[in-house]
Amino acid sequence: AEGLNLCTSGSATSCEECLLIHPKCAWCSKEEFSSTKSITSRCDFLQNLIANGCAGAIENPISSISVLKNIPLSSKGSGQTHLDVTQIMPQKVALNLRPGDQTFWKVQVRQVEDYPVDLYYLMDLSLSMNDDLDNIRNLGTKLAEEMRKLTSNFRLGFGSFVDKNISPFSYTAPRYQNNPCIGYKLFPSCVPSFGFRHLLSLTDKVDRFNEEVQKQKVSRNRDAPEGGFDAILQAAVCKEKIGWRKEASHLLVFTTDDVPHIALDGKLGGLVQPHDGQCHLNEANEYSASSQLDYPSLALLGEKLAENNIHLIFAVTKSHYILYKNFTALIPGTTVEILHKDSKNIIELIVKAYNSIRSKVELTVWDSPEDIGLTFTATCQDGLSYPGLRKCGDLKIGDTVSFEVAVEARSCSSEDTSHTFTIKPAGFRDTLEVVVTYNCLCGCTGHTVPASSKCSGNGTYSCGLCECDAGYLGARCECEEGASGDMHHAMCREAEGKPLCSGRGECSCNQCLCYESEFGNIYGHFCECDDFSCARYKGVLCSGHGECHCGECKCHAGYIGDNCNCSTETDSCISSDGQMCSGRGTCVCGKCQCTEPGAFGETCEKCPTCPGVCSTKRDCIECKLFNSGRLADNQTCQKHCKDEIITTVDVLETDDPNAILCAYPVNNCVMKFTYLELASGKSNLTVLKEPACSSAPSTVTIVLAVIGSVVLIGIILLALWKLLVTIHDRREFDRFQSERSRARYEMASNPLYRKPISTHNVEFTFNKLNKSYNGTVD
C-alpha cells in the first residue's frame, strides 16, 4: 500500500485490535512470522501478509448478509387472504458486520392494486360546523361509491370531538350543563360539550355510517381552538375499538374549521400531567381522561400515527390551511387539503388525498442502533439513481421502486450481542426486519494456550503472540520488568543516534514502555506515535470524523482529507428537486460550490438570473396559494418551498431593479409575480391576487374595425395618389415655364416679320393762302 500504512501504524498488539483499525487490515497468526523488530508487522494489508509468507494463517473476516425471508411482491391487494399481501421485499435479513466494512443489499417496494382501505372520519362538532353536518348526512354512500372505484375492500368508521369540558375551554356553569347554547339567539339549543366520542367502528355497512351521522347534533365550546388532537390520538391508539385491520391501509380524515389546542394549553385549565399516549375510551366509547391529561404534543401524535401505520388527512378551511400545512412538516405521513366551508367537496378531497398518498413511497428506519450507519440510494420510475434519498414520488398503483441500502458498523458491540431494527415504508404494515451481529473476533482466539512454553511459561500464547503475565516482558516473555543494560537497549532505538524510545518512554528488555500523557496515548515500538498530534479542524481533532494514528488522521467512512473535514456524502447537496446542487454546481466535501453565475444557496437553489427560475417559483406559488400544480403534494411543497415568502397584492409594483418580473398563462389570462432574493437567504414572491385578464371583443366590433380599416387604407391610398399626381403636374408646369422664359425673339431682326402698316412718301409743293408747303402726304 502506498503512503501511510494504517494497519502497521495502528500499533495493534492483538488480532482483535487489528481488525478494528480498518476493514482492509488482516492479522497473521503464524508463529514464526513476527519480525525481530516489531510485532505490529503481523497487522497489515492482506496482500502484504501474503507477500511476506503468511498465506494460510491469516485472520481477515468480512461482513456478510443472509436473506432469511424473501417472499415475492404481490400484484393485487384484495383476495381470499389479505395477510398474504406483500409490498416490500425481502422481509428479513441477517447481517454479520465487521466494523468499517460496508455491506449492500437491495429493497423493493410496490404499492399493490386493490389494497384494502380503512377510513375513519373524525369530525369537529362545534357549533360552527352545523352546516357541514347537514351536508355529510349521506356521505357514507357517496364516499363508498367513489372509494370502491379504487379498492373493492373498503370500510368506514365515524367519531366526533369538540373540546375538553372544563373551564376555560367550555361553558361549565350549571345553567350550561345540559345546553351550552342557552342565551345564544342564533342557535338556542345544542348538546353538552365533550372531548372525543367514538360513534362507529370500522364497517363495510355504509348505511350505518349515514345513520350515525344523522343522529349527531352540534355542541358549543367557549374558545376558538378545538380539542381535535385529543381525538386524533385516541383514534390512533385505540386499535381494537376503532377496528383498524393489520392488512389494510389506514386513513384518518380530520375535518375542522378552526385551530387545535396543543400540548401545554391544558395548563390554562389546571391540567399539568402530560399525555401518556394510551387509549382512554370508557364503556360508552368516550374519552375518559379529557379532564385529567393535557393535550398531546405534535411529537407524540407523529409517533403514535407512525406506530399504527395511519395516514392523517387534515381537511381544513382555507383560512387555516397554512397552519395545518406547517403541521405536516412536523408529523410525518400527513397531508392537508382545503375543505369548503360547507364540506361539499369532502369526497373529492378524500379521493385526492388518497391518490396522493398512494403515489409516493418513503422508507423509514425504526430502532436503529447508534453504532450502525445507514445510507440509501433510491431508484425511481425514471430509472435514475438518487444517492442519499429514501423517497420516490409520482408513482402509479402497481409501480415498483427499489432502494439500495448500505449498512456499516462503526464499532464492536458487546460479545454475543445482536441488534434488531426495522425498515418500513411510511404508512405500510409491511416491514423489513434487520438482525445485526458483529464480526469482531478472530478464529485463532479459540486456540489460546495459557502458560505456554512458547512464551517461556510466563504468558499465554494466542494468535501467534505471547500475552505476558504481570512482571514479564519481551516477545517470548523472557525478560522481567526492571531488567536493564545495553544488551537490552539495542532494539529501543528507531535509528542509530536517535534517543531511546523517541524520548517518550523507557526501554526495558528491548521493549519500550511509553509514558502516559494527559493529551492521549503514546504508543509504537519506539513510542514514536500518539493519538493527539494530528490535524484539527475548528479545534476538533480530525474534525471529529476520524481517529488520530501516529500523526495522521484515519478518517471514518464517508470522510476524506488531512483533517477528515471533507465529507464524501452527497445527500446534503441534493436539492429539493432531486438534482445535484440544482444542476448549477458541484458537490465538494458535502457542500455545493455553485458554478452557474448568479447562483447561491446551500444547494445553489437561488439564482434570480438563471433561465427557468420563474418556472420554479411558479410551482411554489401554485402549491402554496392554490394547492395545485406539480408540487401539490403537501410534504413535497413544504420541502421545495420552505424558503419562499409569498405575498399577494392587488397591484404589482415593478420599479425595484433587483426584482425579477415573471408571468405565466392561466385560463386565457396572465398571472404575474415578482421574485426577489433576500439577504436572509429566503425568496420574496409578490403575486397578483387575481390573474390579469382582458375581455374578448364582440363580433360586431371586429367587423366594424375591419371595415373601418379597409376604408381608412383606401383613403390613405387615394391621398397618396393625389399627392403624387399634384407633384408631377407642378414639376411639368415649372419645366414649361422655364422653357418659355428661355424663348425670347428679336422683332427687328426677324426676317419673317412684316410690319402691318405700310408707309408711302409723295413729294409735292403747293400754295395755300400765299403760303408754300413742302412735305409728304400720308
Side-chain angles (χ1 to χ4, degrees):
E2 297 179 0
L4 174 67
N5 188 322
L6 296 174
C7 304
T8 57
S9 66
S11 191
T13 57
S14 68
C15 182
E16 283 74 18
E17 288 182 9
C18 177
L19 300 184
L20 289 175
I21 294 175
H22 194 272
K24 293 187 180 296
C25 292
W27 179 266
C28 178
S29 61
K30 192 173 182 180
E31 181 182 352
E32 300 81 10
F33 180 78
S34 222
S35 69
T36 58
K37 283 198 172 186
S38 176
I39 62 172
T40 57
S41 59
R42 286 183 177 273
C43 184
D44 206 339
F45 293 113
L46 177 63
Q47 61 270 29
N48 294 346
L49 293 179
I50 295 175
N52 291 332
C54 192
I58 297 177
E59 297 286 341
N60 185 31
I62 59 174
S63 298
S64 61
I65 178 172
S66 301
V67 178
L68 305 181
K69 189 176 181 182
N70 195 29
I71 300 174
L73 296 172
S74 304
S75 58
K76 195 169 184 179
S78 294
Q80 293 182 349
T81 310
H82 302 315
L83 292 175
D84 292 339
V85 176
T86 302
Q87 297 185 98
I88 187 171
M89 184 178 75
Q91 295 80 42
K92 186 174 183 179
V93 298
L95 305 176
N96 187 240
L97 300 179
R98 174 179 172 178
D101 188 19
Q102 274 194 334
T103 300
F104 303 85
W105 82 94
K106 183 172 287 187
V107 177
Q108 290 185 309
V109 182
R110 175 187 296 162
Q111 294 254 33
V112 300
E113 298 179 13
D114 198 20
Y115 197 69
V117 175
D118 286 346
L119 188 150
Y120 192 78
Y121 193 88
L122 189 56
M123 184 174 182
D124 177 4
L125 283 187
S126 59
L127 194 58
S128 57
M129 294 288 284
N130 184 56
D131 55 343
D132 301 72
L133 184 60
D134 292 335
N135 284 325
I136 69 163
R137 296 197 184 277
N138 294 315
L139 172 67
T141 304
K142 297 177 182 177
L143 180 59
E145 289 176 359
E146 291 298 322
M147 290 301 294
R148 281 176 179 149
K149 296 177 182 178
L150 305 173
T151 174
S152 61
N153 194 333
F154 175 68
R155 298 199 312 168
L156 191 59
F158 182 61
S160 60
F161 66 91
V162 182
D163 205 348
K164 294 181 182 296
N165 194 18
I166 60 174
S167 181
F169 310 118
S170 297
Y171 293 93
T172 56
R175 66 188 296 258
Y176 294 117
Q177 287 299 311
N178 296 322
N179 182 12
C181 291
I182 288 179
Y184 187 60
K185 296 181 180 179
L186 296 178
F187 205 91
S189 178
C190 59
V191 299
S193 181
F194 56 91
F196 166 63
R197 189 174 290 159
H198 169 52
L199 300 169
L200 177 65
S201 297
L202 291 161
T203 178
D204 55 2
K205 298 177 180 178
V206 295
D207 291 338
R208 291 189 56 196
F209 179 91
N210 296 337
E211 293 172 5
E212 287 297 332
V213 172
Q214 290 171 4
K215 295 177 185 177
Q216 302 311 306
K217 295 182 179 180
V218 294
S219 181
R220 184 188 183 198
N221 58 324
R222 173 169 285 176
D223 61 349
E226 319 291 3
F229 280 6
D230 270 341
I232 291 174
L233 187 63
Q234 293 304 298
V237 299
C238 299
K239 296 181 286 187
E240 291 75 16
K241 292 204 172 187
I242 301 298
W244 298 114
R245 295 176 292 177
K246 291 183 178 180
E247 68 277 11
S249 179
H250 303 158
L251 304 182
L252 178 56
V253 180
F254 176 84
T255 61
T256 185
D257 63 349
D258 221 317
V259 300
H261 278 297
I262 58 176
L264 301 181
D265 283 358
K267 287 188 175 183
L268 295 172
L271 305 181
V272 295
Q273 184 177 351
H275 205 292
D276 58 6
Q278 302 300 315
C279 178
H280 295 284
L281 291 186
N282 57 22
E283 294 181 357
N285 285 332
E286 292 191 0
Y287 179 38
S288 59
S290 180
S291 58
Q292 287 85 42
L293 299 177
D294 190 10
Y295 298 97
S297 65
L298 293 173
L300 183 61
L301 276 182
E303 177 186 339
K304 295 303 177 182
L305 289 169
E307 208 173 89
N308 296 285
N309 306 319
I310 294 175
H311 292 286
L312 176 61
I313 302 172
F314 287 126
V316 299
T317 51
K318 189 174 183 179
S319 58
H320 301 297
Y321 175 77
I322 297 299
L323 172 67
Y324 283 91
K325 193 169 187 180
N326 292 334
F327 285 157
T328 65
L330 303 173
I331 307 176
T334 306
T335 58
V336 60
E337 300 291 345
I338 295 177
L339 179 71
H340 292 172
K341 290 186 177 181
D342 54 6
S343 293
K344 284 186 177 180
N345 70 324
I346 186 64
I347 294 178
E348 176 188 350
L349 181 153
I350 292 173
V351 172
K352 179 181 178 182
Y354 177 72
N355 288 330
S356 174
I357 291 169
R358 296 277 282 165
S359 68
K360 59 190 176 185
V361 169
E362 182 174 7
L363 295 187
T364 59
V365 181
W366 292 72
D367 304 321
S368 175
E370 292 183 0
D371 59 350
I372 294 293
L374 285 169
T375 57
F376 295 84
T377 300
T379 303
C380 302
Q381 285 304 108
D382 56 7
L384 301 177
S385 295
Y386 297 95
L389 293 186
R390 58 175 75 178
K391 176 182 177 180
C392 286
D394 300 326
L395 304 177
K396 297 178 181 177
I397 301 299
D399 286 346
T400 303
V401 294
S402 63
F403 301 87
E404 185 182 65
V405 186
V407 61
E408 175 188 346
R410 299 190 183 97
S411 61
C412 273
S413 184
S414 305
E415 292 185 14
D416 302 325
T417 299
S418 65
H419 294 292
T420 300
F421 65 92
T422 302
I423 297 175
K424 59 174 291 188
F428 285 50
R429 70 171 178 85
D430 304 72
T431 61
L432 166 59
E433 182 182 353
V434 183
V435 181
V436 179
T437 55
Y438 299 86
N439 195 352
C440 298
L441 298 178
C442 297
C444 58
T445 305
H447 306 289
T448 300
V449 181
S452 172
S453 59
K454 297 177 181 179
C455 304
S456 307
N458 300 320
T460 300
Y461 182 79
S462 177
C463 296
L465 287 181
C466 286
E467 297 178 9
C468 299
D469 297 336
Y472 292 92
L473 298 171
R476 298 298 177 187
C477 306
E478 69 276 16
C479 297
E480 293 187 37
E481 285 188 13
S484 59
D486 292 339
M487 62 177 294
H488 298 309
H489 287 174
M491 309 305 295
C492 291
R493 298 181 190 273
E494 189 173 5
E496 190 66 31
K498 290 286 185 75
L500 289 174
C501 300
S502 304
R504 303 202 293 179
E506 295 180 354
C507 183
S508 178
C509 194
N510 276 331
Q511 192 168 351
C512 286
L513 301 177
C514 302
Y515 297 141
E516 292 184 359
S517 172
E518 60 180 327
F519 301 109
N521 295 322
I522 299 174
Y523 60 91
H525 184 70
F526 306 106
C527 299
E528 74 279 11
C529 295
D530 60 56
D531 61 2
F532 52 82
S533 298
C534 289
R536 297 172 182 264
Y537 180 70
K538 294 184 178 180
V540 180
L541 191 67
C542 299
S543 306
H545 302 306
E547 307 296 335
C548 181
H549 284 280
C550 206
E552 294 197 34
C553 288
K554 187 192 79 170
C555 301
H556 294 158
Y559 291 91
I560 57 174
D562 293 339
N563 53 13
C564 302
N565 70 327
C566 184
S567 173
T568 59
E569 294 291 331
T570 59
D571 53 341
S572 59
C573 294
I574 302 296
S575 57
S576 56
D577 58 2
Q579 297 188 72
M580 186 72 67
C581 298
S582 305
R584 300 176 183 134
T586 57
C587 188
V588 179
C589 295
K591 295 184 179 180
C592 285
Q593 291 187 356
C594 304
T595 56
E596 183 82 18
F600 63 97
E602 290 185 2
T603 57
C604 304
E605 73 281 9
K606 310 290 186 184
C607 188
T609 59
C610 292
V613 67
C614 286
S615 176
T616 303
K617 301 305 177 184
R618 167 188 175 178
D619 292 338
C620 290
I621 290 172
E622 288 184 336
C623 76
K624 276 198 165 188
L625 292 185
F626 310 111
N627 193 33
S628 62
R630 188 174 59 89
L631 305 179
D633 170 67
N634 301 311
Q635 290 187 351
T636 304
C637 183
Q638 185 69 26
K639 179 180 178 182
H640 283 233
C641 308
K642 64 182 187 306
D643 292 332
E644 315 301 339
I645 302 173
I646 300 178
T647 307
T648 56
V649 295
D650 293 317
V651 179
L652 195 63
E653 300 290 340
T654 58
D655 53 353
D656 189 341
N658 296 318
I660 306 299
L661 178 62
C662 302
Y664 62 92
V666 178
N667 298 328
N668 298 323
C669 300
V670 176
M671 176 61 83
K672 296 181 180 180
F673 65 93
T674 57
Y675 160 47
L676 177 65
E677 291 293 350
L678 304 177
S680 62
K682 294 184 177 295
S683 302
N684 188 18
L685 304 181
T686 306
V687 190
L688 282 175
K689 286 184 178 179
E690 299 292 339
C693 300
S694 57
S695 58
S698 64
T699 305
V700 175
T701 303
I702 295 175
V703 172
L704 292 177
V706 172
I707 295 174
S709 299
V710 172
V711 172
L712 179 62
I713 292 172
I715 293 172
I716 292 172
L717 292 176
L718 286 173
L720 288 174
W721 174 80
K722 179 63 177 175
L723 177 62
L724 293 174
V725 169
T726 301
I727 293 172
H728 179 267
D729 288 348
R730 286 188 176 181
R731 285 180 177 176
E732 289 295 319
F733 181 75
D734 290 342
R735 189 174 62 179
F736 168 76
Q737 289 288 81
S738 176
E739 291 179 355
R740 181 182 177 187
S741 64
R742 289 197 300 269
R744 297 182 182 275
Y745 301 107
E746 294 293 339
M747 296 298 183
S749 60
N750 189 351
L752 299 179
Y753 179 76
R754 290 183 179 276
K755 191 172 182 179
I757 300 174
S758 298
T759 303
H760 301 275
N761 294 325
V762 180
E763 293 184 1
F764 62 94
T765 301
F766 65 92
N767 293 323
K768 186 177 183 180
L769 299 180
N770 299 319
K771 292 182 179 180
S772 296
Y773 294 90
N774 185 18
T776 60
V777 178
D778 293 328

